[in-house]
Amino acid sequence: TSLAFTAIQGGSNPAAQTLSVRNTGGGTLTWSASETTGWLALSAGSGTGNGTVTLQATTGALATGTHTGSVILTGGTGVTPITIPVSFTVTAAPVPPAISATPTSLAFTAIQGGSNPAAQTLSILNTGGGTLNWSASENAGWLALSAGTGTGNGTVTLQATTGALATGSHTGTLTLSGGTGVTPVTIPVSFTVTAAPVPPAIGMSPTSLSFTAQQGGSNPTAQALTINNTGGGTLSWGINHDATWLWHSPGTGTGAGTVTIGVIPGSLLAGTYNGQVTLWPK
């Protein structure tokens, strides 16, 4: 005595339904069927005696909500028509899951041959409907993931490994997939490997000094030793000597500089004396 159809907006049409027509009186019933709405189609418009009418509701471009109509059965003169109410409920299409990730890019930095950089965490959110089942994958050998799959919101920890990577900028991607109907998300990942810093190194000129004096005479003229940094960074240096007849000034310095080296023969006997001046980084 009534019919109800249900479908998803923009989706497939619902299954057809059958209406049985019977003659509950006497004589011969000649009947006809008609509908009052455009979304309802009938398979048979008339018949004699008992019979059936198949009804098909068509989703088409119907808006969401409940739509109503009717099928009217008429039997000619003296036969009371029958109205069969028909409803068609169109529901909104379910919102599929959708992947969102924060941050939208990741960058690592490390020194060549040094320690690995700190791990970083990527947050995954379902910004759509339903249940999100996601998987994560990377395309770079220097990038490792803590988790490859998950359900709903979650996190993935990423670790960049310095290993034997050359200096420069290395790029890769992390791809988050969510299955059928879910648009994958790609997260760019960069890894900048810088050269190890060059330590300071002492350079000096000249590399040897020679003094001459007469026994009991005046001290010879002092000589200058030039110091420079032949490495990187900032050089702080100190100086000493191993002979009592040697002297120098100053005893410390930073960066390039000059040290004055002198001798005091004093009571030294005639002969050749060897000493050593030592420079070291501080």
Side-chain angles (χ1 to χ4, degrees), residues 35-233:
E35 42 74 23
T36 61
T37 180
W39 49 260
L40 188 61
L42 308 181
S43 66
S46 61
T48 299
N50 298 335
T52 59
V53 178
T54 300
L55 296 85
Q56 177 65 65
T58 304
T59 308
L62 284 179
T64 58
T66 299
H67 306 266
T68 59
S70 60
V71 174
I72 299 174
L73 297 174
T74 57
T77 304
V79 178
T80 303
I82 293 178
T83 299
I84 311 298
V86 182
S87 66
F88 188 10
T89 301
V90 179
T91 59
V95 178
I99 298 174
S100 175
T102 304
T104 56
S105 64
L106 294 163
F108 295 89
T109 302
I111 296 172
Q112 186 181 37
S115 301
N116 294 327
Q120 298 187 40
T121 299
L122 184 75
S123 296
I124 301 171
L125 300 173
N126 179 8
T127 55
T131 300
L132 172 66
N133 294 305
W134 54 265
S135 61
S137 60
E138 44 74 25
N139 67 352
W142 46 263
L143 188 61
L145 310 180
S146 65
T149 60
T151 299
N153 300 335
T155 59
V156 175
T157 300
L158 297 88
Q159 177 64 66
T161 304
T162 309
L165 284 179
T167 58
S169 183
H170 305 266
T171 58
T173 56
L174 171 67
T175 301
L176 298 172
S177 303
T180 304
V182 179
T183 302
V185 172
T186 300
I187 310 297
V189 183
S190 66
F191 188 12
T192 301
V193 180
T194 58
V198 178
I202 296 175
M204 61 181 180
S205 179
T207 56
S208 64
L209 296 169
S210 178
F211 295 89
T212 301
Q214 289 183 346
Q215 186 179 20
S218 301
N219 296 336
T221 302
Q223 299 183 40
L225 183 68
T226 300
I227 300 170
N228 57 77
N229 182 6
T230 60

